[in-house]
Amino acid sequence: MRTRLLSAAALVVAMVSGLAGTASARPGDLGTTACTLPPDRDIEVTKVVHRVGRNLGVSAKVMLAGFEAGWVESHMNNLLCGDRDSLGVFQQRPSMGWGTPEQVTNVVYASNAFFTRAINSERNHPGFTAGQIAQDVQRSGFPDRYDQAETKARALIAEVATKTTRATNNDVTGDGFAELVVTQANGELFQYANSYNVNPARPYGARNRIGEGFGQFSIVRSADLTGDGYAELIAMRPNGELLFFENNTNANGGVPYGSGKWTGDGFNVFADLVLADVSGDGYADLLGIKPNGEVRYFPNSINGNPGRVPFATGGTPVGSGFDEFTEVRAADLTGDGHAELVAVNATGQLFYWENNMNTNPEGVPYLERKPAGDGFGIYSDFVLSDVSGDGYADLTAWKPSGEVFHYANNINANGRPFGFGEPIGEGFQIYDRLI
């Protein structure tokens, strides 16, 4: 898949398949010098660059260096052309060792490549300005341009700084890429690290055992409940007791979850629980789905509730008719920070509901469903999470045979979030559920 590139049109196909993330396609063949800068930034590219820098924990100076370089080189657009073989938001050259054309036009990869070099530059040259750090990374023939772009770069950072905080599903390590989390029937919890940047065709490789005792729970879900970029867990016992597992991966030697904390009773009135950031405030909320199809919304109030309990009892009705669906999940499909809803019915039809909480009457997030695909009845379970790190949730599903498939999110390219699934693993029949 996506093994070579011949033209800008071929690269657009690669982008539509989910590799390159958001992009601004330019006319002409790859590597031509006839490449006019767009007049304005691509907001989606700009958000991805900021998110990558934030997830890497870069300093304010290094973040500024990234935005100065991005504005000077491409006006923060994922260009398919440039001087000689320069490509992408930072105009990185494959011939100079920056990566393949596919890689440097992947906004996440390109941003990681820039920022990791910029971090080293700042460490080696603490007196450098942001523009000098950018020049040290880029090796431009026009070294003064980056500092001259400081005002514009700061404005771009300010524009997206509040738009890249999002409650991530399954991002156990806080790096912006969702891990794959599974349980075995004996209650053991395992995490597959995400190496999408290294091998997008097989993002999940070695597994780590990160917990035990989860066999006592009828439902386990993962998302960022605390707003720190690390996914927590909630788990419900059959008696309706809900427990909350904070993510302490940095304090516990890489083991994220310790003992659970009580967070409520009576949740066994729900046939399913869905965890995602419905309100767009950076904290995952809870949706409870009753057997009669009623949906109730529990906003996350962890910073206000006594004992930092994320959810109060009761919930607000926000939907009905969901009893026709066998699986319901939620995550941010559109990159705006608000979780959309996705459900599959007994015939294998997939639907999604856009989140219009800020415009719908009385703040109800989900009203109109849209078709999102057919043939999903072959899967026994699926999760929504950002596998590629571009800010848009992808779909990961598995068959009873143990094969795992990845559906890249292409909502900006074709209006529907998911196209064709690609196999990314096998042997997962030893597990009893995806988290």
Side-chain angles (χ1 to χ4, degrees):
M1 179 185 102
R2 299 186 295 265
T3 54
R4 68 190 185 97
L5 302 175
L6 298 178
S7 66
L11 188 56
V12 170
V13 172
M15 289 177 177
V16 168
S17 66
L19 176 65
T22 55
S24 296
R26 305 300 302 164
D29 292 338
L30 294 179
T32 64
T33 56
C35 189
T36 303
L37 286 180
D40 199 5
R41 85 286 182 270
D42 182 326
I43 187 62
E44 300 302 333
V45 170
T46 310
K47 287 193 291 186
V48 171
V49 173
H50 186 268
R51 183 177 294 120
V52 171
R54 188 197 67 202
N55 289 337
L56 288 172
V58 302
S59 68
K61 185 191 293 186
V62 168
M63 183 70 82
L64 181 59
F67 273 71
E68 288 179 358
W71 178 255
V72 166
E73 300 294 351
S74 70
H75 281 187
M76 298 302 282
N77 287 264
N78 194 19
L79 299 181
L80 309 183
C81 54
D83 179 46
R84 287 169 284 192
D85 61 335
S86 299
L87 294 168
V89 62
F90 296 105
Q91 291 290 278
Q92 294 158 339
R93 295 181 60 191
S95 64
M96 299 300 290
W98 282 95
T100 66
E102 283 183 311
Q103 288 173 326
V104 299
T105 50
N106 176 322
V107 180
V108 176
Y109 177 95
S111 301
N112 270 290
F114 178 91
F115 281 125
T116 52
R117 288 165 174 79
I119 290 169
N120 289 331
S121 177
E122 182 185 42
R123 184 184 302 117
N124 295 331
H125 308 285
F128 272 13
T129 65
Q132 289 171 324
I133 290 174
Q135 169 61 18
D136 194 33
V137 174
Q138 298 291 99
R139 305 290 179 173
S140 169
F142 305 91
D144 298 329
R145 294 183 302 166
Y146 302 115
D147 273 325
Q148 293 170 2
E150 178 179 350
T151 299
K152 181 62 178 180
R154 289 190 183 278
L156 290 169
I157 292 171
E159 180 185 25
V160 298
T162 60
K163 298 180 180 179
T164 53
T165 298
R166 58 193 177 99
T168 54
N169 293 12
N170 280 356
D171 185 4
V172 179
T173 60
D175 64 353
F177 295 81
E179 280 70 45
L180 192 63
V181 183
V182 294
T183 60
Q184 286 187 331
N186 64 3
E188 289 185 294
L189 188 72
F190 292 91
Q191 165 199 321
Y192 284 80
N194 187 322
S195 57
Y196 183 89
N197 269 343
V198 177
N199 187 3
R202 290 274 175 164
Y204 301 117
R207 73 174 190 174
N208 294 313
R209 182 178 177 274
I210 58 172
E212 60 184 2
F214 283 86
Q216 64 180 298
F217 301 111
S218 54
I219 297 174
V220 184
R221 297 285 179 254
S222 165
D224 181 10
L225 296 171
T226 61
D228 64 353
Y230 294 79
E232 281 73 39
L233 295 180
I234 60 148
M236 187 188 78
R237 291 189 171 118
N239 66 1
E241 186 179 13
L242 195 69
L243 273 67
F244 162 47
F245 294 79
E246 291 201 49
N247 187 325
N248 298 307
T249 188
N250 291 329
N252 293 338
V255 178
Y257 307 115
S259 56
K261 180 171 68 174
W262 178 91
T263 188
D265 289 308
F267 284 86
N268 53 344
V269 301
F270 298 108
D272 203 355
L273 299 175
V274 179
L275 204 59
D277 185 8
V278 177
S279 64
D281 63 355
Y283 295 78
D285 309 298
L286 183 70
L287 295 170
I289 302 166
K290 289 187 174 182
N292 67 1
E294 181 188 6
V295 180
R296 285 185 170 262
Y297 167 54
F298 296 79
N300 187 326
S301 303
I302 193 170
N303 292 327
N305 288 338
R308 285 177 56 79
V309 173
F311 308 115
T313 58
T316 303
V318 294
S320 60
F322 280 80
D323 48 328
E324 72 171 278
F325 300 107
T326 59
E327 300 284 346
V328 180
R329 297 290 183 267
D332 182 9
L333 301 181
T334 61
D336 66 352
H338 294 258
E340 281 67 43
L341 204 61
V342 175
V344 61
N345 64 18
T347 64
Q349 291 178 294
L350 194 73
F351 297 91
Y352 80 101
W353 288 254
E354 290 187 5
N355 186 327
N356 297 307
M357 171 175 270
N358 294 332
T359 57
N360 284 341
E362 300 179 359
V364 175
Y366 309 113
L367 291 179
E368 180 186 359
R369 76 182 190 183
K370 299 180 180 181
D374 296 301
F376 283 83
I378 63 175
Y379 300 113
S380 55
D381 202 359
F382 76 92
V383 294
L384 298 175
S385 58
D386 186 5
V387 177
S388 62
D390 64 355
Y392 295 77
D394 311 297
L395 188 148
T396 303
W398 68 4
K399 290 182 177 180
S401 63
E403 288 181 285
V404 179
F405 288 79
H406 168 62
Y407 289 79
N409 186 327
N410 300 311
I411 196 165
N412 288 335
N414 56 23
R416 286 191 179 190
F418 309 115
F420 295 103
E422 298 177 4
I424 58 170
E426 60 277 322
F428 283 78
Q429 68 272 16
I430 65 174
Y431 304 113
D432 66 339
R433 61 186 165 192
L434 296 171
I435 301 302

